Each structure stands twice: as C-alpha cells, then as structure tokens.
Amino acid sequence: MNQKFIVSGMSCAACVSRVTGAVSRLPEVSRAEANLLTGILKVEASENITPDAVISAVKAAGYQAVPADSGTSMPPDHAALSQNLRHRLILSLAALLPLMCLVWGPDELRELPGTSGLFSGIVEGLLAGLIIFINRSIISGGLRALFRLAPDMNSLVSTGILAGFGWSCLVLLARSGIISLFEDPGAAPLYFESTAMILTLVTLGRLLESGSRDRTLQALRGLVSMNPETAVIVRDGQESTIPASALNPGDIFIVRPGHRIPADGTVISGSGSVNESALTGESLPAYREAGSQVKAATINLDGCLICRAEQTGKNTVFSQIITLLENAQASRAPIASTADRIAGIFVPVVMLCALITLTAWLLSGAAAGFALSAAISVLVVSCPCALGLATPVSVVTGSGVAARHGILFKNAAALENTGRATAVFLDKTGTLTTGEISITGATALGSTSLPDFLRTVLALEKQSEHPLAKAAAAYSEKMLRETGDLPEREPEITGFRNTPGLGIRAEIDGHIIRGGSCRFIREEIPDFPADLESSIAASGESVLCFSRDKILLGYLTAADTLKDHVREQLSILHGMGIRTVMLTGDNESNARKTALMTEISEYRAGLLPEEKAAVIREFNREYHTVMAGDGINDAIALKTAGAGIAMGSGTAIAIDAADAVILNSDPASLVAAIKISRQVLRNIRENLFWAFIYNTAGIPLAAGCFYSWLGWQMNPAFAALAMSLSSISVVGNALRLNLYSPYPGRQRKMNITGIFRNIIAGEPELLENQLLLRISGMKCSHCEQAVQKALEAFPEITAARVSHKKGWAIITISREISKESLKTAITENGFELKAVTGKNGPI
C-alpha cells in the first residue's frame, strides 16, 4: 500500500535522513522516501499501518506531517513561505541598516564620553536582539532539534548566533562593571553586528532558495493550470456552462476557437486545427474532424468542434500525465543515497569540528574572541542544504524539461537509469517501423497486363477488411488512377469467402479469383514457381499472389514502413557510444531487411516475449540497458531492462510495465529522453561536486587552519553569506536545465532579470503563453469579476486570473493579442492598464 504525506519543517538533507529513518523503523513500512524540495513523503507499507502511525513517527523526529489530499498529490505551494521570508527580510534590513551605521560610523556616533563603548554596545544589542526576534523561527527550530539530539541546519545557525550574542552580552556586562571577566572589556570584540548580519543573510538566502525551488516546480503548476475549469455542454438542445470536473462520459460538449478541450473524446461534428503540444511536445497543430480523437487540455485553434466525452476528470490522458510527473518529481534518484548517508552524520560532525576549533585556538593561546569567531564561522559556513538540494532540484527540473518534449518518467530512478544507458534494445514493429503494411510493388506474369492485373486485385481486395487487403486495394486504385486505367464499371462479384491466415476467393465476372499467400495459391496451381516466395522474402518483403481460374496472374510485394528519420536517430545513438539491438518476433528475413535499412548494430529475430527478456538479462551483466517497445509482447522485456520506455502508441500493458512513456511515438523522442537524462545526471554530479567541495574547503577556512600560514580568517557574517550562496548556486545550476533542448538549435535563453524579479519582488513566474497585466483602479472582488469578464470575452484568451489586492491579471493566450485592444476593454470598464509583461520582460 502506498501513502503520501506532506511534511513541514525539513530544511536540509539531515532532516530528510531523519524523517525517512524514523518512518522506515516502523515494522509495517518497507520503504520511505522524503523529498526536501517538494516536502512530500512517500511510504510503501503493509495495509495494517494507519496514517496516524506515520504522522506520529514524523512528529517524534521533530517534524509535522499531514496526509496528502487524496484528490491531488501536488507539492505544497511555496508562495506563503516566500511571502513570510520577504517580510522578515524587509524588517531585518530595516534594523540592520542603523546597526551597521552605528558599527561602521564615526566614533562620535558610537560612544558617549566615559562609557567605554557601553552605550553603543547596548544599542547594537537591542537592534541585534530585534533581528533575532524577527527570525526567531530559525533559533527555536534549531534549539528544538538540538534538544532532541537530532541537530539540523537550523541548529548550526542558532548555535553560532546564540554563542556570538551571548559572548557580546558578557562583554557588555563586563563593560558595565557588573562582572569582571576580562582584563580590558573595552578591547573585547562584540559580535552583535555579525549575529544580525548572519540571520539577515540566512533569511535572504532562504528567500532566494524558496523562489528558486518554486521555479523548479513551475512546469508542474503550469501543466495543472492548462486543465480547463469549465466546459460548454449540450443537454436537451440547450447549451450550458458547467465545471469541467462535472463532465461525465457520454456528455456532448462544444469547443469553440481559442478554448481548451475539457475531456478526452471523439469529434461528432465540425472540424478544426488542435494544438496538442501540451501532450506530445509537437508544435504543429493536428487537424481534427468527425471521428477523430481529441484529448483534454489541448487547444482548439480554429473551427467549432462538437464532441462526445469518453474519459473525464482524473481518467483523461492529461490528468494521468500530471500524476506521472508529480510522482517523478516527488521521488528520489538512487544517486542521492550517497549524499543522504553523509548528511545524516554531517551536522553532528560539524558541531564537533566547531568545538575542536574553539578548544584548539584557546589551548594555543589565542584570544577568546578570536577562538569564538572561528568556531561560529565553522557552524555557520557549513551547509547541508546544498547536499540535500543537489539531486531533487535537478530531478524536478529535468523531468519538467522532458515533459515539455512529450517524455514522461514515472520516477527519478527511471530518469537516472535512462541517462546511464550503454545498450538500447528496440522492438521492430511500432518502434522502428510504423506497424502499417504498405505495398512496395506489383508484378504481372505471363500474358496478363499490369492494368488488368491491378483491376483484378482492386475488385477482389475491396471486399475484405484485412489491413493488408486495404493496402493492396488502395495501392491498385492509386496506380490505375495515375495511368487512367480505372475500371469503367463495377464488376459483378459473388461467392466471396475468406480463409483466415491464408487468403480470399470470389467469383468476379464469371471467373474464380483467388488472392493471398503463396501457400494458398499453390494449392490449385501445380506449376507454381517454387522459388518465388523465397527469392522475394530474401529482401525482407512479403508476397501476395493472385490467380484467375487456376492461372497465376501476378503478385504484390509488401513491407512494413520505417518511421521517419529512424536511421538518423540510430546514428545519433551510435555517436553517443550506445550499442543498439533490435529484438523482434518477426521472421529472420524481415528482421534482416529492417536492420539493413536502419543500420542498427545487431538484431535478434523470431523471439518470444520471454526470449526477449532473456537477451536483455544477458546484457544486464555488462551494460546499462534500456528497452523501447509498444506491444503486449514487449511488457516482460520492458520490466527486465534497467529502464523500460513505452512508445505512446503502445498498448496499456506496455505503458503500465514501462518506467517512462514517450507520448508521440517519435524515435527522435527516444534519443531526446536519453540526452535529457544524461544532462540531468551531469547536472546532479556537478551539484554534488560543488556541495562537497564547498564544505571541504569552507570548514578548514572558517576554522582558521590557514591563519598562521597565510593570515586568512573568515568573518562569521561572510560565512553566512557563503552558506547562502552555496545553496543558491546548487539551485541555480539545476535551473540551467530549463535552457537545455535535446534538439540542436533550440536552446532557450535565460532571463536573469526576470528570475530575480520573480523571487525578490514576488512577481508570478510566467509561462511562454502568458502575459501579466498591471491594472490600477481595482478595489474589490466585484472589480476583479468585471475585469475577468472583459478579458475572457477575447477569443485569444483561454484563461484569466485577476487579483485586485496585487493589482494585476494573468492571462493565458492561444495566439497573439493586441495590447491596444486589451487597454480599450479594461478602460471601458473603468480601470487603467498600466503595463503588459511577458515571460521575457515588458511588451
């Protein structure tokens, strides 16, 4: 049984280790997996466990947990956290500014005559105390974890802060004469400004980190926002608008131009172009008409479609995609295990290092203030946050990038295993080939002319529904039309009979016509050419023979059609150092021809499902394997490979067995999946490298190991800045994945200004097809409704979200819209449009 919980209070990798450890110790739990980025805890356990047992275990570890809403597994929104951090930062800066002026200002401002710095010290202490109060959640959280003997990131910061603040208070008491702890209290250093700056910088770092985390989850929220909220249905001849969630299978709904389709269904009338990029990553619109399938969340660009709903709500393909993406982003990659093991013991080791630093400097005869400063710097500079974020931010961002290209990884392990691929196995039919038989040629024998032969084929095969018969009829009709030899009349056909697996016969204009396999025709033609089938089969093609009154008229050759650009994509895989192997149940000759046409490395033909799996098991000993397939017979192989990838046209069984799904069935997307996965793995390794190197170099520097040699000493305030920047650099490096495209020439540009405007100023992150309208004059919810109604009247606008408190509206557009028309519509309702901003800045 799988359960999900939202955990609050986790701030670093040590927290993650503690939560998973506490839950894993429950006897009913087989596996627990917590994600620092999303705050989601996934638990695999027996049915005997209750949610309360898991919540109690999390609470005992010092954190809070609630069951994830059964209606959605969306990760918690960081907006409230960012807002709280933003307010704390503003108040902290307001107190820090006069404190720094006092510390760095002229002596006349700092001291009153005869006070020995007591007056300025008291003011500094009050301002520093105010900043500690503003950010008391850091201190209280750290102390609680410390008292539970489970120190975390907050414990390091709070210990350093309290040590510095406590030392400074003792100095002030000595200066006032209450205690006599120092020979010269006036010369003893105060650390009020350092403690205040540390807390302010930590808050700034967490604000930037929170905003950056939110950006990594933006792809998921953007997908969710694509689900339309309403649907226009027809009941009893009347149109009405209902919530999209209230649609039921069988309902008839209307989709007008510019609107999103609310459910999976079938077009029953009308036609139009539909933008399906949200599902397939394909930018070109698809034409849909009566009988065509439509999917939820895609956009009708033109024409009016009347459709019958078939899958609604959580059962639509789009909703299932969101669920897959959520699961992938909430999971953890195996590569994260090393960082987790280290993080579990990291904080206690750092605290021990700080104690050793303090003791060593005191024993060496250094001033107490210097020793304390070094110990505080060790505590503050250490950053398990960077270790904890190194993997999840890359996984979340990478899975979002993959989803934009129509590739869905079910979990982080699938993404990692795909990126490690050194051998790729491919099914033939449906993966390398279209699975659709096409006629490649026609040959008339004896005295039969080619037009006469083709007319006979057309007359016979039009009577059958078999895919091969349809292909033969279509080919014959096309060839006859091109030569102007189409029959002038419909022939008289009687006695049609089908022999399954062999062929068909009928009486046409008084002649017995047979068509089918060589074996079927050979039964009534004694002198049938013995080598006809074998000679053609050697080229990998199938043969359809036709006879009239026991005389062989001729034959058609047929073959499966290769998918577009298959050879180029396999060549790219070979260039990446990947061994490619085709596994097929088809015969040797067909497999050989496909291998020659695609230039695949090697192939195995005539395999049963278990034999495909056996081949992969053999390769698993030396290779990281990936299997791509789409049929029921591929399910075992998909499960056996290190990563199984189902092509989107595949069966439900194959998709269920796979670790990843390619929605558009394009071989280029298979290559893209491997490229994206490799890029994510590289990004994770970079993050882990910098996180480890940072701590390896930062702690000795903070401890003063280079002071006697080079005179280097780290101020605690700079240690805090470095600590914050380490986490920000890891998140920023992961965000670079958003710029990556697996297709050459399609890399995106980074908008640095926009990123920091979103994070610091609290402006919303916009998608490519969204605009932010700054509107003045809105005072209440009625104003919001008026603006929303005016905006939704535009056919180009598919969704509008309005806030009078923030003074803006966010619109989602299906095509370009005039700024002047927006301004006119808003002005007519008594408001003023101040500015229009897109993803890349003002418009």
Side-chain angles (χ1 to χ4, degrees), residues 736-754:
R736 287 192 309 111
L737 287 169
N738 280 312
L739 310 178
Y740 178 73
S741 171
Y743 305 110
R746 297 191 195 174
Q747 274 70 20
R748 301 166 68 189
K749 295 180 180 179
M750 178 175 279
N751 179 10
I752 298 294
T753 305

Side-chain angles (χ1 to χ4, degrees), residues 337-377:
S337 58
T338 302
D340 288 346
R341 285 195 298 270
I342 293 174
I345 60 172
F346 182 80
V347 175
V349 168
V350 168
M351 300 191 81
L352 180 61
C353 287
L355 182 60
I356 293 172
T357 299
L358 177 66
T359 305
W361 280 115
L362 290 175
L363 292 176
S364 69
F370 180 90
L372 182 64
S373 177
I376 292 172
S377 295

Side-chain angles (χ1 to χ4, degrees), residues 37-313:
L37 179 65
T38 61
I40 291 179
L41 169 67
K42 295 170 67 177
V43 179
E44 294 180 11
S46 66
E47 295 184 357
N48 298 329
I49 197 168
T50 62
D52 289 341
V54 175
I55 292 171
S56 298
V58 173
K59 189 173 182 180
Y63 306 90
Q64 300 296 320
V66 294
D69 182 1
S70 58
T72 177
S73 54
M74 270 289 293
D77 194 345
H78 292 283
L81 173 61
S82 296
Q83 186 70 10
N84 176 266
L85 289 169
R86 196 174 293 112
H87 288 158
R88 280 167 45 189
L89 178 62
I90 293 170
L91 293 173
S92 297
L93 288 172
L96 182 64
L97 184 61
L99 173 57
M100 301 313 296
C101 290
L102 191 62
V103 173
W104 293 343
D107 291 342
E108 294 79 7
L109 180 64
R110 289 181 48 79
E111 299 181 13
L112 291 178
T115 62
S116 299
L118 179 61
F119 173 75
S120 61
I122 292 174
V123 176
E124 290 174 28
L126 291 173
L127 290 171
L130 177 60
I131 292 174
I132 290 175
F133 176 77
I134 292 169
N135 298 283
R136 60 192 179 277
S137 60
I138 295 175
I139 306 298
S140 60
L143 291 178
R144 280 197 301 269
L146 196 58
F147 293 150
R148 288 193 306 269
L149 300 179
D152 60 8
M153 177 60 208
N154 287 333
S155 300
L156 296 178
V157 174
S158 58
T159 303
I161 293 295
L162 294 177
F165 190 82
W167 164 274
S168 302
C169 289
L170 289 176
V171 172
L172 282 185
L173 290 174
R175 290 180 182 181
S176 67
I178 296 176
I179 62 173
S180 56
L181 190 62
F182 307 97
E183 292 182 6
D184 183 6
L190 295 175
Y191 291 107
F192 287 129
E193 83 280 2
S194 292
T195 57
M197 190 175 289
I198 287 171
L199 275 176
T200 303
L201 288 172
V202 168
T203 302
L204 171 63
R206 291 190 179 179
L207 172 60
L208 292 172
E209 185 182 300
S210 176
S212 298
R213 290 186 190 187
D214 203 40
R215 284 178 59 81
T216 64
L217 297 170
Q218 191 63 38
L220 182 53
R221 294 202 181 93
L223 275 179
V224 172
S225 68
M226 290 180 187
N227 255 329
E229 296 181 357
T230 60
V232 178
I233 64 169
V234 179
R235 287 178 180 165
D236 300 325
Q238 299 294 318
E239 289 187 23
S240 61
T241 302
I242 64 170
S245 57
L247 268 176
N248 295 312
D251 283 344
I252 305 300
F253 61 87
I254 300 175
V255 187
R256 294 188 169 87
H259 288 240
R260 289 189 182 273
I261 296 170
D264 293 355
T266 302
V267 179
I268 56 178
S269 68
S271 62
S273 298
V274 177
N275 180 351
E276 297 183 341
S277 58
L279 289 179
T280 65
E282 175 56 57
S283 58
L284 294 176
Y287 182 71
R288 294 290 179 258
E289 58 185 345
S292 299
Q293 299 293 309
V294 291
K295 302 297 182 185
T298 58
I299 303 173
N300 179 21
L301 299 178
D302 52 53
C304 183
L305 301 177
I306 301 177
C307 313
R308 178 182 294 104
E310 293 174 356
Q311 301 291 337
T312 62

Side-chain angles (χ1 to χ4, degrees), residues 324 410 630 638 646-661:
L324 285 179
K410 294 184 178 180
D630 71 332
L638 290 169
M647 308 305 282
S649 61
T651 64
I653 292 176
I655 292 172
D656 184 62
D659 301 299
V661 179

